[in-house]
């Protein structure tokens, strides 16, 4: 397990759970059909949890190009490592969404609505307005990044600031963060807040032999890529100005 493999595996787990829960909720004849938004947002949050648990010790568990870019901007991550992390994240997202499709293949076949067949793979806006949709992704990702940057490890106030290790529980804060973003801000676009999470599965929707699947909505695909990148840069800039008094 090295950083590349960790990012691949962690993002694969995230997307297997994320794509899987959407398939469970929207596709025909599943046990969870029509169980709703709270189920989707909860499973996405817990998917983040398990991805971070696995990848954290080896790569820092970015699982998201926006996170990699933000940490590079702060100087906590080397810019030269960003491309390999992003590649691992996109490939992992492709693999994870492919696993979810394989698990739910019979239910994809039993579903006629092309929009519902697409939903487990990539995001789509509730109301298509590219300006508003872009703003939604920028704001959602800004919240994600600013909270991550201000997160601190727990320490004992014993004069030495001794770290208190929480083990796998250390992944809980980011899981709660993704959960609240989904519940509060995700209703407009489906809260990609992660370019790899959207692009990888969208590619899989394009290439997988899904019965009567329809198009992959590439006209919209730039929003969940550009929006999170802008949001990450904006949030990191604000963090650097407020916390450090200047840009790195």
């Amino acid at each position: 397990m090295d950083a590349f493999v960790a990012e691949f595996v962690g993002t694969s787990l995230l997307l297997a759970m994320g794509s899987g829960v959407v398939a469970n909720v929207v596709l025909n004849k599943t046990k969870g059909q029509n169980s709703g938004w709270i189920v989707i947002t909860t499973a996405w949050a817990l998917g983040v949890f398990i991805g971070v648990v696995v990848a954290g010790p080896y790569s820092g568990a970015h699982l998201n190009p926006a996170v990699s870019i933000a940490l590079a901007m702060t100087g906590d991550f080397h810019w030269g490592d960003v491309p390999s992390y992003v590649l691992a994240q996109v490939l992992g997202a492709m693999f994870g969404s492919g696993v979810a499709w394989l698990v739910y293949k019979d239910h994809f076949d039993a579903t006629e609505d092309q929009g519902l067949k697409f939903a487990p793979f990539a995001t789509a806006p509730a109301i298509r307005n590219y300006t508003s949709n872009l703003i939604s992704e920028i704001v959602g990702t800004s919240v994600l990044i600013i909270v991550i940057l201000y997160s601190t490890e727990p320490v004992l106030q014993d004069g030495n600031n001794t770290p208190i290790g929480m083990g796998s529980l250390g992944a809980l804060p980011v899981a709660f963060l993704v959960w609240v973003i989904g519940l509060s801000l995700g209703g407009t676009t489906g809260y990609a807040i992660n370019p790899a999470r959207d692009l990888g599965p969208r590619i899989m929707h394009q290439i997988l032999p899904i019965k009567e699947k329809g198009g992959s909505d590439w006209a919209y695909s730039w929003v969940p890529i550009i929006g999170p990148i802008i949001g990450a840069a904006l949030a990191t800039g604000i963090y650097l100005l407020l916390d450090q008094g200047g840009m790195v």
Side-chain angles (χ1 to χ4, degrees), residues 8-94:
F8 175 85
V9 173
T11 312
S12 294
L13 289 169
L14 167 61
L15 264 297
M17 300 302 105
S19 292
V21 70
V22 177
N24 188 27
V25 170
V26 306
L27 298 180
N28 287 345
K29 301 182 180 179
T30 70
K31 297 290 188 180
Q33 187 176 9
N34 297 323
S35 51
W37 187 245
I38 186 68
V39 173
I40 290 174
T41 56
T42 302
W44 270 106
L46 295 177
V48 170
F49 174 78
I50 65 172
V52 172
V53 166
V54 172
Y58 303 96
S59 68
H62 297 186
L63 314 184
N64 182 344
V67 174
S68 299
I69 290 170
L71 293 177
M73 287 181 65
T74 65
D76 295 316
F77 186 63
H78 196 279
W79 278 107
D81 292 328
V82 171
S84 65
Y85 267 56
V86 171
L87 177 61
Q89 292 154 5
V90 172
L91 292 176
M94 293 175 66

Side-chain angles (χ1 to χ4, degrees), residues 52-160:
V52 172
V53 166
V54 172
Y58 303 96
S59 68
H62 297 186
L63 314 184
N64 182 344
V67 174
S68 299
I69 290 170
L71 293 177
M73 287 181 65
T74 65
D76 295 316
F77 186 63
H78 196 279
W79 278 107
D81 292 328
V82 171
S84 65
Y85 267 56
V86 171
L87 177 61
Q89 292 154 5
V90 172
L91 292 176
M94 293 175 66
F95 184 81
S97 62
V99 169
W101 168 75
L102 187 63
V103 170
Y104 282 97
K105 184 180 183 304
D106 290 343
H107 301 276
F108 277 98
D109 292 344
T111 302
E112 296 181 0
D113 189 303
Q114 293 180 342
L116 298 181
K117 289 174 182 283
F118 176 73
F121 290 93
T123 61
I127 297 175
R128 189 170 296 252
N129 179 325
Y130 289 119
T131 300
S132 297
N133 303 151
L134 185 65
I135 290 171
S136 294
E137 289 294 335
I138 291 172
V139 171
T141 310
S142 295
V143 173
L144 174 72
I145 297 301
I146 200 76
V147 176
I148 287 175
L149 292 178
Y150 272 104
S151 298
T152 58
E153 291 294 330
V155 296
L156 281 172
Q157 296 300 322
D158 59 358
N160 297 316

